[in-house]
Amino acid sequence: MPDQFRINTVRAFVEAIAMPFQCTSTSPRVPPLVKFGKLHVPVAQTAAIYRQPTDRTRARQGRLEGPLVAVQVRPKTKFQDEDGKPLEAMVRLDMVREIGGLLQIAQERRRSGREVRSGEGQWWTTKLRWGGGSGYDADTDIDTDGEAKATELASVAGEAASDGLVTGDLGVPDKVEKKPKIMARALPWKELRCGRGYWDPKIDYGAIGKDRSSLSDVVFMVSSLNHHISIVKLTVHDAYTDSLVAGTSLEDLPKPTLQRSQWFDLFDSQQRVQTLRGVWGVMAYLTRDSVAGAR
């Protein structure tokens, strides 16, 4: 099966389950990365399930809340050699891809209320650039060529009217208005525009479905290989996620625990029903009503 067909099949299957819970799936709009201190490691993410805001204005703006569940469809098919023995390196590499995707979702869910502007407080936004010189003077950037052409056109039209060559209203104003200053080229010199970084500006990050009384977050992923689907669950402590982002030691922190369901065959109708029930249960758990401080 072509990769894109498999991706579309899994996404359609998962999104059909998420829609009754006022959720949708979307492809990553910024590069999905796991942060280890100053190191950013790219990870594989096919899509993620987000909750749509109840406010219509925010919904029209394309804003989303979450993420809730990650979706990872991998094209790898060979995990055994010709003799049927498992390829340990390929198996471990595939597991690393899954763990990396889970940690990336955990870090995004941990961003609730911590959004900062890109480059805020950094040296490249606070110190003078270009050797401390004054730089480019934006006030001198005026479209003189456009103004001259407009003046020339008005004078030619006036001469034609006086010679009787043209009759009627020429639509030439008595006074040629000056065009506004072109600031598009000047603004980068007047202010520093930082990139948006690795935070999607249209996503309200938050740990939806997390119990506030718990110090650990439960992260889910719909993992797919070939025509099979498995549900992966990672329980990670908040301090562990914070230490990964900060790049500090993880020795004395609770280690994450990983659990996996069986691999469900989508070609089998009975297993498709079991897969639907499993993903439905995950969505129902994460979008449950406020009970015991859950959100």
Side-chain angles (χ1 to χ4, degrees):
M1 179 185 296
D3 293 343
Q4 193 59 44
F5 286 11
R6 181 170 52 251
I7 290 173
N8 293 341
T9 300
V10 175
R11 281 196 57 180
F13 182 82
V14 174
E15 188 167 16
I17 304 173
M19 287 177 63
F21 298 94
Q22 198 64 26
C23 296
T24 184
S25 68
T26 181
S27 301
R29 294 179 290 196
V30 295
L33 302 170
V34 175
K35 186 176 182 181
F36 299 96
K38 296 183 179 181
L39 179 65
H40 293 79
V41 180
V43 297
Q45 183 188 110
T46 304
I49 298 178
Y50 296 89
R51 186 175 64 185
Q52 296 174 330
T54 55
D55 184 71
R56 293 186 177 181
T57 303
R58 298 173 64 83
R60 291 194 188 102
Q61 294 173 352
R63 301 195 66 87
L64 299 171
E65 300 172 355
L68 283 80
V69 181
V71 180
Q72 191 180 86
V73 182
R74 301 182 299 282
K76 303 302 179 182
T77 59
K78 187 175 181 181
F79 296 96
Q80 296 179 347
D81 57 15
E82 297 179 353
D83 299 331
K85 296 181 180 180
L87 299 174
E88 295 294 338
M90 296 298 296
V91 173
R92 292 185 179 183
L93 180 59
D94 189 72
M95 184 175 294
V96 167
R97 291 191 180 98
E98 282 185 330
I99 296 176
L102 288 165
L103 291 176
Q104 186 261 340
I105 291 293
Q107 290 184 359
E108 287 193 353
R109 289 169 60 87
R110 187 64 176 154
R111 291 176 178 177
S112 177
R114 300 185 177 187
E115 186 171 1
V116 295
R117 296 180 58 186
S118 178
E120 185 174 359
Q122 302 295 333
W123 65 267
W124 58 83
T125 61
T126 56
K127 294 185 179 181
L128 292 176
R129 295 162 292 154
W130 321 122
S134 59
Y136 180 76
D137 188 3
D139 296 333
T140 61
D141 193 0
I142 304 176
D143 188 9
T144 55
D145 295 337
E147 181 182 349
K149 291 179 181 179
T151 305
E152 182 181 357
L153 177 62
S155 61
V156 172
E159 293 176 0
S162 61
D163 295 339
L165 299 178
V166 180
T167 59
D169 185 10
L170 298 176
V172 179
D174 297 335
K175 182 179 180 182
V176 179
E177 297 182 358
K178 293 184 179 180
K179 289 189 175 182
K181 299 178 182 179
I182 298 179
M183 301 297 291
R185 293 173 296 174
L187 280 178
W189 293 84
K190 298 290 286 186
E191 61 181 15
L192 183 60
R193 295 181 176 179
C194 300
R196 62 183 182 182
Y198 307 111
W199 292 46
D200 193 329
K202 289 192 175 183
I203 291 181
D204 299 325
Y205 293 101
I208 298 175
K210 178 186 176 184
D211 190 345
R212 293 184 179 180
S213 62
S214 175
L215 297 178
S216 298
D217 191 13
V218 181
V219 186
F220 293 94
M221 170 188 286
V222 176
S223 177
S224 176
L225 284 173
N226 301 331
H227 50 87
H228 294 76
I229 283 181
S230 175
I231 301 175
V232 188
K233 171 186 174 183
L234 180 72
T235 304
V236 55
H237 199 276
D238 293 341
Y240 189 92
T241 304
D242 294 339
S243 296
L244 281 181
V245 175
T248 56
S249 176
L250 303 173
E251 293 183 2
D252 300 330
L253 298 177
K255 298 299 184 286
T257 57
L258 184 68
Q259 295 174 284
R260 180 195 299 279
S261 69
Q262 72 176 64
W263 286 98
F264 299 101
D265 189 353
L266 293 180
F267 287 169
D268 189 321
S269 60
Q270 296 298 325
Q271 295 193 27
R272 280 202 306 270
V273 173
Q274 295 179 18
T275 309
L276 187 147
R277 288 176 176 174
V279 180
W280 187 282
V282 170
M283 293 301 304
Y285 170 76
L286 293 176
T287 60
R288 66 195 183 280
D289 295 334
S290 298
V291 178
R295 56 177 179 176

